Amino acid sequence: FFLALLCMMLKRITCGVLMKKLFLYILLPAVVCTFSACSIEKMEEEKKRDLAYTVIEQDEMPQELKEQIEKEEKNVFGITYADQGILYAARGFGEKKTDGYHAEVTACYETEDTIYVTTELRGPQKGEDIKKEKNCPYVVIKMDYEEKQVMFL
């Protein structure tokens, strides 16, 4: 009844066009959700525990890792390297036009299947003497080896 009344009121739009729009925009999505048993799943994995790690300097890195970093340092990168039961995770932020930038690890934790390494790029401090020298800030950590995918955040 309501649709028939609405169709009579709208002389420009034919009843067929109105019915198609009603079906496409309201009824079809409602039917699809009803019959597909829609549910929203939490995509994030649950954090199991924080991982112990150590930030290391260049002289503590294996040679192969140093070479990989040198190849990638002008770009944003996330590299992992495993050697003798140690997992190394390196995160770089690409080339910066001035010095004073540095990278920091703010968290390192594991879930069921993944290790997450959260990093931040810190800029020059106020009042810091900034030189126009380019730099490529990165941070490297080492931790006990785990057979898991590493994600950099």
Side-chain angles (χ1 to χ4, degrees):
F1 173 73
F2 178 71
L3 287 175
L5 182 61
L6 192 57
C7 283
M8 287 189 292
M9 292 170 59
L10 300 171
K11 293 181 181 179
R12 289 182 166 163
I13 301 175
T14 66
C15 192
V17 172
L18 184 60
M19 291 297 285
K20 285 180 186 177
K21 286 185 179 186
L22 176 69
F23 179 76
L24 285 175
Y25 296 117
I26 298 172
L27 295 177
L28 185 61
V31 170
V32 169
C33 274
T34 301
F35 288 112
S36 66
C38 284
S39 67
I40 299 174
E41 290 186 35
K42 189 175 180 181
M43 293 301 291
E44 294 178 12
E45 295 180 77
E46 189 174 324
K47 178 178 172 179
K48 284 176 56 176
R49 67 182 174 107
D50 289 325
L51 294 175
Y53 65 90
T54 304
V55 176
I56 62 171
E57 299 298 323
Q58 190 172 15
D59 61 339
E60 299 174 75
M61 290 183 231
Q63 186 60 35
E64 294 86 1
L65 180 58
K66 285 182 198 177
E67 291 169 4
Q68 283 184 312
I69 291 171
E70 286 174 10
K71 287 179 190 174
E72 297 294 329
E73 71 181 351
K74 291 189 178 193
N75 304 306
V76 173
F77 68 84
I79 298 172
T80 58
Y81 179 81
D83 185 36
Q84 300 178 6
I86 302 293
L87 176 63
Y88 297 88
R91 173 79 160 118
F93 289 89
E95 186 175 72
K96 304 301 172 204
K97 294 180 182 185
T98 63
D99 69 347
Y101 289 92
H102 67 279
E104 287 183 8
V105 174
T106 57
C108 183
Y109 62 92
E110 71 175 329
T111 62
E112 188 70 31
D113 302 317
T114 309
I115 294 172
Y116 289 92
V117 179
T118 304
T119 58
E120 288 184 4
L121 177 65
R122 303 285 184 179
Q125 300 291 320
K126 285 188 176 188
E128 185 177 340
D129 186 29
I130 300 171
K131 298 175 185 156
K132 295 288 182 188
E133 296 173 4
K134 293 181 182 178
N135 82 357
C136 303
Y138 65 88
V139 62
V140 180
I141 62 172
K142 72 176 184 177
M143 66 189 94
D144 290 335
Y145 180 78
E146 297 265 348
E147 184 68 40
K148 294 184 179 185
Q149 175 183 3
V150 176
M151 297 290 296
F152 294 94
L153 304 175

